[in-house]
Amino acid sequence: MKIGELAKRTGCSVQAIRYYEKENLLPSTRRSDGNFRLYDESYIEQLSFIRLCRGLDLSLSEVRQLLSLKNSPGADCDEVNYMMEAHIQQVEARINDLMELNDQLRALRSYCSDQQTVENCGILQSLSSSVDDRPTGDTHDRHNGATFSG
Amino acid sequence: MKIGELAKRTGCSVQAIRYYEKENLLPSTRRSDGNFRLYDESYIEQLSFIRLCRGLDLSLSEVRQLLSLKNSPGADCDEVNYMMEAHIQQVEARINDLMELNDQLRALRSYCSDQQTVENCGILQSLSSSVDDRPTGDTHDRHNGATFSG
DNA sequence: ATTGACTCTATAGTCACTATAGAGTTTAGA
DNA sequence: TCTAAACTCTATAGTGACTATAGAGTCAAT
C-alpha cells in the first residue's frame, strides 16, 4: 500500500509518517518504480504502536527507547517500568500545576463583574497591582510549572 | 538600569526581555551612548504584568490583547472577561485530558510486574496488541486531546 | 593596558509536527 | 491517447516562546 492508505488506516497524517521515517521511528521501505513508498501490513502495527504511545503523551525519544527495547526481547523490562513511572510523575505534576492555575484563574475571574469599563476591571487591576505592594518580587513563591517544559 | 538588572529584579531572562521588545509587548527604550538599553522603574511593573500573565499560561497574543485593553481604559471589559472564560475552559479541558491519560498510564503500569523480561512485559504487550484484535482502528475512540495544541 | 563582566545583533535550535512550493507519477474518464 | 485530478516526491519554512551560541562591542576596575 502507498503512504496515503497507510495514513488513512492509522489515522496519521502523510507528513507525520514521512517525519517518523526521517527520525528513524519507522524503518524505510522499498519504493515503487516511480519512487513511491510501499508498505506492507506490518507497518500498520508499527505505526499504531507509535500513535498509541503519542496518545499517551510519550515523547518521540521515549517512543524510540521503547521501540529499541521491543527489539531486544531478552532484556529485562526495568527500563520500561522506570520510564512509565517517570512519565506518570510528569503527568501528575502537570495536572497539579494546572489545577493550581485553574484556582488562580477562577479567583481572577471573580474580581470582575460584568458591565464595567476596563478602567475598573478587577481582573486587570489585580494583574497590575501585585508588584507595587511587594518588596522585590522575589519573596512570594512564583508559580513556575505552568509554562510548557518541552 | 540596564537589561541585566531588570532581568534579575523580575526573574526574567535577558533574552526573554529582548524577545518581548521585539514582539511589541514591551515598548523600546532609550539607549546609552554604547547602545545599551536603559530602563526606568516603570518597566518592572510592565514586565511583571507580562510574567504574571505568562504564569497563568496566557499566550503572548492574549497578553498583547490585555495590554492594549489596559491602554484604553474607557472600553468595557467584556473582552477581558471573555478571554479569561475561554482560557479557563481551555485549562479545564486540558486537565480532563491529562486525568484520563493518567488513568491509562496507571492501568498500563499495572500490567507489568517487576523482574520480567521485555519479552513478557505487559506494558509493551499491551501497547503492541491493541491493533490486531480490532477491525480497522477507526472504531475505538481515540484519545485526541493529549498532544499540546499550542 | 588588560581583564572580566556585561551588552549588542543575528542566527540556529528546541519539539513534533503542519503547510507550502514545485516537480514528478499514477489513475480514471472522455 | 489525451488530459485532468489525485496522489506522491523532496526540500524548505513556519509554529510558540523562548534558549543558546557566535562574534563583536562597551564599561568598570586594576
mmCIF file with all atom_site columns, all heavy atoms in Angstrom, chain B residues 46-69:
data_model
loop_
_atom_site.group_PDB
_atom_site.id
_atom_site.type_symbol
_atom_site.label_atom_id
_atom_site.label_alt_id
_atom_site.label_comp_id
_atom_site.label_asym_id
_atom_site.label_entity_id
_atom_site.label_seq_id
_atom_site.pdbx_PDB_ins_code
_atom_site.Cartn_x
_atom_site.Cartn_y
_atom_site.Cartn_z
_atom_site.occupancy
_atom_site.B_iso_or_equiv
_atom_site.pdbx_formal_charge
_atom_site.auth_seq_id
_atom_site.auth_comp_id
_atom_site.auth_asym_id
_atom_site.auth_atom_id
_atom_site.pdbx_PDB_model_num
ATOM 1   N N   . GLN B 1 46 ? 5.659  46.745 34.138 1.00 0.00 ? 46 GLN B N   1
ATOM 2   C CA  . GLN B 1 46 ? 5.186  46.242 32.849 1.00 0.00 ? 46 GLN B CA  1
ATOM 3   C C   . GLN B 1 46 ? 5.625  44.813 32.593 1.00 0.00 ? 46 GLN B C   1
ATOM 4   O O   . GLN B 1 46 ? 4.861  43.978 32.130 1.00 0.00 ? 46 GLN B O   1
ATOM 5   C CB  . GLN B 1 46 ? 5.697  47.146 31.724 1.00 0.00 ? 46 GLN B CB  1
ATOM 6   C CG  . GLN B 1 46 ? 5.177  48.552 31.799 1.00 0.00 ? 46 GLN B CG  1
ATOM 7   C CD  . GLN B 1 46 ? 5.432  49.324 30.508 1.00 0.00 ? 46 GLN B CD  1
ATOM 8   O OE1 . GLN B 1 46 ? 5.058  48.859 29.438 1.00 0.00 ? 46 GLN B OE1 1
ATOM 9   N NE2 . GLN B 1 46 ? 6.073  50.477 30.624 1.00 0.00 ? 46 GLN B NE2 1
ATOM 10  N N   . LEU B 1 47 ? 6.885  44.566 32.910 1.00 0.00 ? 47 LEU B N   1
ATOM 11  C CA  . LEU B 1 47 ? 7.406  43.219 32.684 1.00 0.00 ? 47 LEU B CA  1
ATOM 12  C C   . LEU B 1 47 ? 6.765  42.223 33.646 1.00 0.00 ? 47 LEU B C   1
ATOM 13  O O   . LEU B 1 47 ? 6.445  41.094 33.273 1.00 0.00 ? 47 LEU B O   1
ATOM 14  C CB  . LEU B 1 47 ? 8.927  43.244 32.858 1.00 0.00 ? 47 LEU B CB  1
ATOM 15  C CG  . LEU B 1 47 ? 9.711  42.004 32.457 1.00 0.00 ? 47 LEU B CG  1
ATOM 16  C CD1 . LEU B 1 47 ? 9.298  41.488 31.089 1.00 0.00 ? 47 LEU B CD1 1
ATOM 17  C CD2 . LEU B 1 47 ? 11.205 42.313 32.463 1.00 0.00 ? 47 LEU B CD2 1
ATOM 18  N N   . SER B 1 48 ? 6.534  42.665 34.864 1.00 0.00 ? 48 SER B N   1
ATOM 19  C CA  . SER B 1 48 ? 5.890  41.785 35.839 1.00 0.00 ? 48 SER B CA  1
ATOM 20  C C   . SER B 1 48 ? 4.478  41.412 35.412 1.00 0.00 ? 48 SER B C   1
ATOM 21  O O   . SER B 1 48 ? 4.030  40.284 35.620 1.00 0.00 ? 48 SER B O   1
ATOM 22  C CB  . SER B 1 48 ? 5.861  42.450 37.214 1.00 0.00 ? 48 SER B CB  1
ATOM 23  O OG  . SER B 1 48 ? 7.174  42.709 37.650 1.00 0.00 ? 48 SER B OG  1
ATOM 24  N N   . PHE B 1 49 ? 3.798  42.387 34.825 1.00 0.00 ? 49 PHE B N   1
ATOM 25  C CA  . PHE B 1 49 ? 2.459  42.100 34.301 1.00 0.00 ? 49 PHE B CA  1
ATOM 26  C C   . PHE B 1 49 ? 2.528  40.958 33.286 1.00 0.00 ? 49 PHE B C   1
ATOM 27  O O   . PHE B 1 49 ? 1.762  39.994 33.348 1.00 0.00 ? 49 PHE B O   1
ATOM 28  C CB  . PHE B 1 49 ? 1.878  43.362 33.646 1.00 0.00 ? 49 PHE B CB  1
ATOM 29  C CG  . PHE B 1 49 ? 0.503  43.179 33.057 1.00 0.00 ? 49 PHE B CG  1
ATOM 30  C CD1 . PHE B 1 49 ? -0.635 43.342 33.838 1.00 0.00 ? 49 PHE B CD1 1
ATOM 31  C CD2 . PHE B 1 49 ? 0.345  42.840 31.717 1.00 0.00 ? 49 PHE B CD2 1
ATOM 32  C CE1 . PHE B 1 49 ? -1.899 43.173 33.295 1.00 0.00 ? 49 PHE B CE1 1
ATOM 33  C CE2 . PHE B 1 49 ? -0.914 42.655 31.166 1.00 0.00 ? 49 PHE B CE2 1
ATOM 34  C CZ  . PHE B 1 49 ? -2.036 42.829 31.964 1.00 0.00 ? 49 PHE B CZ  1
ATOM 35  N N   . ILE B 1 50 ? 3.485  41.076 32.396 1.00 0.00 ? 50 ILE B N   1
ATOM 36  C CA  . ILE B 1 50 ? 3.643  40.041 31.378 1.00 0.00 ? 50 ILE B CA  1
ATOM 37  C C   . ILE B 1 50 ? 3.962  38.684 32.014 1.00 0.00 ? 50 ILE B C   1
ATOM 38  O O   . ILE B 1 50 ? 3.359  37.666 31.689 1.00 0.00 ? 50 ILE B O   1
ATOM 39  C CB  . ILE B 1 50 ? 4.757  40.424 30.368 1.00 0.00 ? 50 ILE B CB  1
ATOM 40  C CG1 . ILE B 1 50 ? 4.371  41.692 29.623 1.00 0.00 ? 50 ILE B CG1 1
ATOM 41  C CG2 . ILE B 1 50 ? 5.030  39.285 29.391 1.00 0.00 ? 50 ILE B CG2 1
ATOM 42  C CD1 . ILE B 1 50 ? 5.476  42.259 28.752 1.00 0.00 ? 50 ILE B CD1 1
ATOM 43  N N   . ARG B 1 51 ? 4.901  38.688 32.949 1.00 0.00 ? 51 ARG B N   1
ATOM 44  C CA  . ARG B 1 51 ? 5.299  37.437 33.600 1.00 0.00 ? 51 ARG B CA  1
ATOM 45  C C   . ARG B 1 51 ? 4.126  36.806 34.342 1.00 0.00 ? 51 ARG B C   1
ATOM 46  O O   . ARG B 1 51 ? 3.956  35.597 34.367 1.00 0.00 ? 51 ARG B O   1
ATOM 47  C CB  . ARG B 1 51 ? 6.457  37.676 34.574 1.00 0.00 ? 51 ARG B CB  1
ATOM 48  C CG  . ARG B 1 51 ? 7.734  38.143 33.925 1.00 0.00 ? 51 ARG B CG  1
ATOM 49  C CD  . ARG B 1 51 ? 8.242  37.193 32.871 1.00 0.00 ? 51 ARG B CD  1
ATOM 50  N NE  . ARG B 1 51 ? 8.805  35.974 33.452 1.00 0.00 ? 51 ARG B NE  1
ATOM 51  C CZ  . ARG B 1 51 ? 9.152  34.907 32.734 1.00 0.00 ? 51 ARG B CZ  1
ATOM 52  N NH1 . ARG B 1 51 ? 8.985  34.909 31.426 1.00 0.00 ? 51 ARG B NH1 1
ATOM 53  N NH2 . ARG B 1 51 ? 9.661  33.849 33.311 1.00 0.00 ? 51 ARG B NH2 1
ATOM 54  N N   . LEU B 1 52 ? 3.340  37.674 34.987 1.00 0.00 ? 52 LEU B N   1
ATOM 55  C CA  . LEU B 1 52 ? 2.194  37.179 35.735 1.00 0.00 ? 52 LEU B CA  1
ATOM 56  C C   . LEU B 1 52 ? 1.211  36.497 34.786 1.00 0.00 ? 52 LEU B C   1
ATOM 57  O O   . LEU B 1 52 ? 0.713  35.396 35.065 1.00 0.00 ? 52 LEU B O   1
ATOM 58  C CB  . LEU B 1 52 ? 1.527  38.374 36.424 1.00 0.00 ? 52 LEU B CB  1
ATOM 59  C CG  . LEU B 1 52 ? 0.902  38.155 37.783 1.00 0.00 ? 52 LEU B CG  1
ATOM 60  C CD1 . LEU B 1 52 ? 1.898  37.509 38.730 1.00 0.00 ? 52 LEU B CD1 1
ATOM 61  C CD2 . LEU B 1 52 ? 0.435  39.480 38.365 1.00 0.00 ? 52 LEU B CD2 1
ATOM 62  N N   . CYS B 1 53 ? 0.949  37.143 33.669 1.00 0.00 ? 53 CYS B N   1
ATOM 63  C CA  . CYS B 1 53 ? 0.048  36.555 32.681 1.00 0.00 ? 53 CYS B CA  1
ATOM 64  C C   . CYS B 1 53 ? 0.621  35.240 32.157 1.00 0.00 ? 53 CYS B C   1
ATOM 65  O O   . CYS B 1 53 ? -0.088 34.242 32.012 1.00 0.00 ? 53 CYS B O   1
ATOM 66  C CB  . CYS B 1 53 ? -0.164 37.510 31.511 1.00 0.00 ? 53 CYS B CB  1
ATOM 67  S SG  . CYS B 1 53 ? -1.086 38.986 31.944 1.00 0.00 ? 53 CYS B SG  1
ATOM 68  N N   . ARG B 1 54 ? 1.907  35.227 31.881 1.00 0.00 ? 54 ARG B N   1
ATOM 69  C CA  . ARG B 1 54 ? 2.542  34.005 31.383 1.00 0.00 ? 54 ARG B CA  1
ATOM 70  C C   . ARG B 1 54 ? 2.468  32.900 32.434 1.00 0.00 ? 54 ARG B C   1
ATOM 71  O O   . ARG B 1 54 ? 2.294  31.737 32.101 1.00 0.00 ? 54 ARG B O   1
ATOM 72  C CB  . ARG B 1 54 ? 3.981  34.282 30.984 1.00 0.00 ? 54 ARG B CB  1
ATOM 73  C CG  . ARG B 1 54 ? 4.142  35.171 29.769 1.00 0.00 ? 54 ARG B CG  1
ATOM 74  C CD  . ARG B 1 54 ? 3.704  34.478 28.481 1.00 0.00 ? 54 ARG B CD  1
ATOM 75  N NE  . ARG B 1 54 ? 4.463  33.265 28.291 1.00 0.00 ? 54 ARG B NE  1
ATOM 76  C CZ  . ARG B 1 54 ? 3.945  32.081 27.984 1.00 0.00 ? 54 ARG B CZ  1
ATOM 77  N NH1 . ARG B 1 54 ? 2.646  31.952 27.832 1.00 0.00 ? 54 ARG B NH1 1
ATOM 78  N NH2 . ARG B 1 54 ? 4.704  31.042 27.832 1.00 0.00 ? 54 ARG B NH2 1
ATOM 79  N N   . GLY B 1 55 ? 2.601  33.304 33.704 1.00 0.00 ? 55 GLY B N   1
ATOM 80  C CA  . GLY B 1 55 ? 2.475  32.337 34.786 1.00 0.00 ? 55 GLY B CA  1
ATOM 81  C C   . GLY B 1 55 ? 1.089  31.719 34.823 1.00 0.00 ? 55 GLY B C   1
ATOM 82  O O   . GLY B 1 55 ? 0.908  30.602 35.301 1.00 0.00 ? 55 GLY B O   1
ATOM 83  N N   . LEU B 1 56 ? 0.107  32.450 34.293 1.00 0.00 ? 56 LEU B N   1
ATOM 84  C CA  . LEU B 1 56 ? -1.256 31.922 34.199 1.00 0.00 ? 56 LEU B CA  1
ATOM 85  C C   . LEU B 1 56 ? -1.473 31.215 32.870 1.00 0.00 ? 56 LEU B C   1
ATOM 86  O O   . LEU B 1 56 ? -2.581 30.905 32.484 1.00 0.00 ? 56 LEU B O   1
ATOM 87  C CB  . LEU B 1 56 ? -2.272 33.052 34.364 1.00 0.00 ? 56 LEU B CB  1
ATOM 88  C CG  . LEU B 1 56 ? -2.281 33.735 35.728 1.00 0.00 ? 56 LEU B CG  1
ATOM 89  C CD1 . LEU B 1 56 ? -3.177 34.953 35.699 1.00 0.00 ? 56 LEU B CD1 1
ATOM 90  C CD2 . LEU B 1 56 ? -2.754 32.767 36.803 1.00 0.00 ? 56 LEU B CD2 1
ATOM 91  N N   . ASP B 1 57 ? -0.388 30.998 32.156 1.00 0.00 ? 57 ASP B N   1
ATOM 92  C CA  . ASP B 1 57 ? -0.432 30.241 30.906 1.00 0.00 ? 57 ASP B CA  1
ATOM 93  C C   . ASP B 1 57 ? -1.108 30.987 29.771 1.00 0.00 ? 57 ASP B C   1
ATOM 94  O O   . ASP B 1 57 ? -1.463 30.394 28.761 1.00 0.00 ? 57 ASP B O   1
ATOM 95  C CB  . ASP B 1 57 ? -1.145 28.896 31.109 1.00 0.00 ? 57 ASP B CB  1
ATOM 96  C CG  . ASP B 1 57 ? -0.196 27.728 30.869 1.00 0.00 ? 57 ASP B CG  1
ATOM 97  O OD1 . ASP B 1 57 ? 1.020  27.960 30.809 1.00 0.00 ? 57 ASP B OD1 1
ATOM 98  O OD2 . ASP B 1 57 ? -0.673 26.593 30.732 1.00 0.00 ? 57 ASP B OD2 1
ATOM 99  N N   . LEU B 1 58 ? -1.313 32.280 29.952 1.00 0.00 ? 58 LEU B N   1
ATOM 100 C CA  . LEU B 1 58 ? -1.873 33.060 28.850 1.00 0.00 ? 58 LEU B CA  1
ATOM 101 C C   . LEU B 1 58 ? -0.822 33.151 27.748 1.00 0.00 ? 58 LEU B C   1
ATOM 102 O O   . LEU B 1 58 ? 0.369  33.283 28.028 1.00 0.00 ? 58 LEU B O   1
ATOM 103 C CB  . LEU B 1 58 ? -2.242 34.467 29.334 1.00 0.00 ? 58 LEU B CB  1
ATOM 104 C CG  . LEU B 1 58 ? -3.420 34.545 30.318 1.00 0.00 ? 58 LEU B CG  1
ATOM 105 C CD1 . LEU B 1 58 ? -3.444 35.884 31.040 1.00 0.00 ? 58 LEU B CD1 1
ATOM 106 C CD2 . LEU B 1 58 ? -4.733 34.319 29.599 1.00 0.00 ? 58 LEU B CD2 1
ATOM 107 N N   . SER B 1 59 ? -1.252 33.071 26.518 1.00 0.00 ? 59 SER B N   1
ATOM 108 C CA  . SER B 1 59 ? -0.300 33.169 25.405 1.00 0.00 ? 59 SER B CA  1
ATOM 109 C C   . SER B 1 59 ? 0.146  34.618 25.236 1.00 0.00 ? 59 SER B C   1
ATOM 110 O O   . SER B 1 59 ? -0.514 35.547 25.703 1.00 0.00 ? 59 SER B O   1
ATOM 111 C CB  . SER B 1 59 ? -0.944 32.690 24.112 1.00 0.00 ? 59 SER B CB  1
ATOM 112 O OG  . SER B 1 59 ? -1.916 33.617 23.702 1.00 0.00 ? 59 SER B OG  1
ATOM 113 N N   . LEU B 1 60 ? 1.242  34.811 24.561 1.00 0.00 ? 60 LEU B N   1
ATOM 114 C CA  . LEU B 1 60 ? 1.708  36.176 24.333 1.00 0.00 ? 60 LEU B CA  1
ATOM 115 C C   . LEU B 1 60 ? 0.686  36.978 23.545 1.00 0.00 ? 60 LEU B C   1
ATOM 116 O O   . LEU B 1 60 ? 0.551  38.183 23.749 1.00 0.00 ? 60 LEU B O   1
ATOM 117 C CB  . LEU B 1 60 ? 3.059  36.174 23.611 1.00 0.00 ? 60 LEU B CB  1
ATOM 118 C CG  . LEU B 1 60 ? 4.263  35.751 24.458 1.00 0.00 ? 60 LEU B CG  1
ATOM 119 C CD1 . LEU B 1 60 ? 5.554  36.048 23.733 1.00 0.00 ? 60 LEU B CD1 1
ATOM 120 C CD2 . LEU B 1 60 ? 4.250  36.436 25.813 1.00 0.00 ? 60 LEU B CD2 1
ATOM 121 N N   . SER B 1 61 ? -0.046 36.333 22.694 1.00 0.00 ? 61 SER B N   1
ATOM 122 C CA  . SER B 1 61 ? -1.050 37.072 21.929 1.00 0.00 ? 61 SER B CA  1
ATOM 123 C C   . SER B 1 61 ? -2.207 37.486 22.836 1.00 0.00 ? 61 SER B C   1
ATOM 124 O O   . SER B 1 61 ? -2.771 38.574 22.693 1.00 0.00 ? 61 SER B O   1
ATOM 125 C CB  . SER B 1 61 ? -1.507 36.250 20.733 1.00 0.00 ? 61 SER B CB  1
ATOM 126 O OG  . SER B 1 61 ? -2.888 36.032 20.753 1.00 0.00 ? 61 SER B OG  1
ATOM 127 N N   . GLU B 1 62 ? -2.547 36.647 23.796 1.00 0.00 ? 62 GLU B N   1
ATOM 128 C CA  . GLU B 1 62 ? -3.551 37.052 24.791 1.00 0.00 ? 62 GLU B CA  1
ATOM 129 C C   . GLU B 1 62 ? -3.019 38.213 25.631 1.00 0.00 ? 62 GLU B C   1
ATOM 130 O O   . GLU B 1 62 ? -3.736 39.181 25.907 1.00 0.00 ? 62 GLU B O   1
ATOM 131 C CB  . GLU B 1 62 ? -3.928 35.863 25.682 1.00 0.00 ? 62 GLU B CB  1
ATOM 132 C CG  . GLU B 1 62 ? -4.800 34.828 24.972 1.00 0.00 ? 62 GLU B CG  1
ATOM 133 C CD  . GLU B 1 62 ? -4.990 33.552 25.787 1.00 0.00 ? 62 GLU B CD  1
ATOM 134 O OE1 . GLU B 1 62 ? -4.030 33.058 26.419 1.00 0.00 ? 62 GLU B OE1 1
ATOM 135 O OE2 . GLU B 1 62 ? -6.099 33.017 25.783 1.00 0.00 ? 62 GLU B OE2 1
ATOM 136 N N   . VAL B 1 63 ? -1.753 38.119 26.016 1.00 0.00 ? 63 VAL B N   1
ATOM 137 C CA  . VAL B 1 63 ? -1.156 39.196 26.807 1.00 0.00 ? 63 VAL B CA  1
ATOM 138 C C   . VAL B 1 63 ? -1.168 40.499 26.010 1.00 0.00 ? 63 VAL B C   1
ATOM 139 O O   . VAL B 1 63 ? -1.479 41.566 26.546 1.00 0.00 ? 63 VAL B O   1
ATOM 140 C CB  . VAL B 1 63 ? 0.289  38.845 27.211 1.00 0.00 ? 63 VAL B CB  1
ATOM 141 C CG1 . VAL B 1 63 ? 0.906  39.994 28.006 1.00 0.00 ? 63 VAL B CG1 1
ATOM 142 C CG2 . VAL B 1 63 ? 0.331  37.577 28.035 1.00 0.00 ? 63 VAL B CG2 1
ATOM 143 N N   . ARG B 1 64 ? -0.869 40.399 24.740 1.00 0.00 ? 64 ARG B N   1
ATOM 144 C CA  . ARG B 1 64 ? -0.886 41.584 23.881 1.00 0.00 ? 64 ARG B CA  1
ATOM 145 C C   . ARG B 1 64 ? -2.271 42.229 23.892 1.00 0.00 ? 64 ARG B C   1
ATOM 146 O O   . ARG B 1 64 ? -2.400 43.448 24.001 1.00 0.00 ? 64 ARG B O   1
ATOM 147 C CB  . ARG B 1 64 ? -0.508 41.185 22.455 1.00 0.00 ? 64 ARG B CB  1
ATOM 148 C CG  . ARG B 1 64 ? 0.502  42.122 21.800 1.00 0.00 ? 64 ARG B CG  1
ATOM 149 C CD  . ARG B 1 64 ? 0.669  41.828 20.332 1.00 0.00 ? 64 ARG B CD  1
ATOM 150 N NE  . ARG B 1 64 ? 0.853  40.401 20.054 1.00 0.00 ? 64 ARG B NE  1
ATOM 151 C CZ  . ARG B 1 64 ? 2.030  39.795 19.979 1.00 0.00 ? 64 ARG B CZ  1
ATOM 152 N NH1 . ARG B 1 64 ? 3.138  40.491 20.126 1.00 0.00 ? 64 ARG B NH1 1
ATOM 153 N NH2 . ARG B 1 64 ? 2.134  38.507 19.739 1.00 0.00 ? 64 ARG B NH2 1
ATOM 154 N N   . GLN B 1 65 ? -3.304 41.388 23.793 1.00 0.00 ? 65 GLN B N   1
ATOM 155 C CA  . GLN B 1 65 ? -4.670 41.929 23.846 1.00 0.00 ? 65 GLN B CA  1
ATOM 156 C C   . GLN B 1 65 ? -4.945 42.629 25.170 1.00 0.00 ? 65 GLN B C   1
ATOM 157 O O   . GLN B 1 65 ? -5.509 43.721 25.202 1.00 0.00 ? 65 GLN B O   1
ATOM 158 C CB  . GLN B 1 65 ? -5.686 40.801 23.671 1.00 0.00 ? 65 GLN B CB  1
ATOM 159 C CG  . GLN B 1 65 ? -5.840 40.292 22.249 1.00 0.00 ? 65 GLN B CG  1
ATOM 160 C CD  . GLN B 1 65 ? -6.844 39.136 22.210 1.00 0.00 ? 65 GLN B CD  1
ATOM 161 O OE1 . GLN B 1 65 ? -8.025 39.297 22.475 1.00 0.00 ? 65 GLN B OE1 1
ATOM 162 N NE2 . GLN B 1 65 ? -6.352 37.946 21.906 1.00 0.00 ? 65 GLN B NE2 1
ATOM 163 N N   . LEU B 1 66 ? -4.535 41.976 26.267 1.00 0.00 ? 66 LEU B N   1
ATOM 164 C CA  . LEU B 1 66 ? -4.768 42.576 27.579 1.00 0.00 ? 66 LEU B CA  1
ATOM 165 C C   . LEU B 1 66 ? -4.045 43.909 27.694 1.00 0.00 ? 66 LEU B C   1
ATOM 166 O O   . LEU B 1 66 ? -4.581 44.882 28.222 1.00 0.00 ? 66 LEU B O   1
ATOM 167 C CB  . LEU B 1 66 ? -4.298 41.636 28.688 1.00 0.00 ? 66 LEU B CB  1
ATOM 168 C CG  . LEU B 1 66 ? -5.188 40.441 29.004 1.00 0.00 ? 66 LEU B CG  1
ATOM 169 C CD1 . LEU B 1 66 ? -4.579 39.586 30.099 1.00 0.00 ? 66 LEU B CD1 1
ATOM 170 C CD2 . LEU B 1 66 ? -6.587 40.906 29.418 1.00 0.00 ? 66 LEU B CD2 1
ATOM 171 N N   . LEU B 1 67 ? -2.825 43.967 27.189 1.00 0.00 ? 67 LEU B N   1
ATOM 172 C CA  . LEU B 1 67 ? -2.061 45.208 27.260 1.00 0.00 ? 67 LEU B CA  1
ATOM 173 C C   . LEU B 1 67 ? -2.750 46.319 26.489 1.00 0.00 ? 67 LEU B C   1
ATOM 174 O O   . LEU B 1 67 ? -2.835 47.454 26.965 1.00 0.00 ? 67 LEU B O   1
ATOM 175 C CB  . LEU B 1 67 ? -0.642 44.983 26.703 1.00 0.00 ? 67 LEU B CB  1
ATOM 176 C CG  . LEU B 1 67 ? 0.314  44.222 27.616 1.00 0.00 ? 67 LEU B CG  1
ATOM 177 C CD1 . LEU B 1 67 ? 1.581  43.835 26.863 1.00 0.00 ? 67 LEU B CD1 1
ATOM 178 C CD2 . LEU B 1 67 ? 0.666  45.043 28.839 1.00 0.00 ? 67 LEU B CD2 1
ATOM 179 N N   . SER B 1 68 ? -3.289 45.975 25.332 1.00 0.00 ? 68 SER B N   1
ATOM 180 C CA  . SER B 1 68 ? -3.922 47.024 24.548 1.00 0.00 ? 68 SER B CA  1
ATOM 181 C C   . SER B 1 68 ? -5.239 47.454 25.208 1.00 0.00 ? 68 SER B C   1
ATOM 182 O O   . SER B 1 68 ? -5.636 48.607 25.144 1.00 0.00 ? 68 SER B O   1
ATOM 183 C CB  . SER B 1 68 ? -4.110 46.596 23.094 1.00 0.00 ? 68 SER B CB  1
ATOM 184 O OG  . SER B 1 68 ? -5.394 46.058 22.895 1.00 0.00 ? 68 SER B OG  1
ATOM 185 N N   . LEU B 1 69 ? -5.911 46.516 25.882 1.00 0.00 ? 69 LEU B N   1
ATOM 186 C CA  . LEU B 1 69 ? -7.118 46.885 26.626 1.00 0.00 ? 69 LEU B CA  1
ATOM 187 C C   . LEU B 1 69 ? -6.769 47.787 27.811 1.00 0.00 ? 69 LEU B C   1
ATOM 188 O O   . LEU B 1 69 ? -7.463 48.754 28.105 1.00 0.00 ? 69 LEU B O   1
ATOM 189 C CB  . LEU B 1 69 ? -7.842 45.637 27.122 1.00 0.00 ? 69 LEU B CB  1
ATOM 190 C CG  . LEU B 1 69 ? -8.606 44.858 26.055 1.00 0.00 ? 69 LEU B CG  1
ATOM 191 C CD1 . LEU B 1 69 ? -9.074 43.523 26.590 1.00 0.00 ? 69 LEU B CD1 1
ATOM 192 C CD2 . LEU B 1 69 ? -9.797 45.676 25.576 1.00 0.00 ? 69 LEU B CD2 1
#
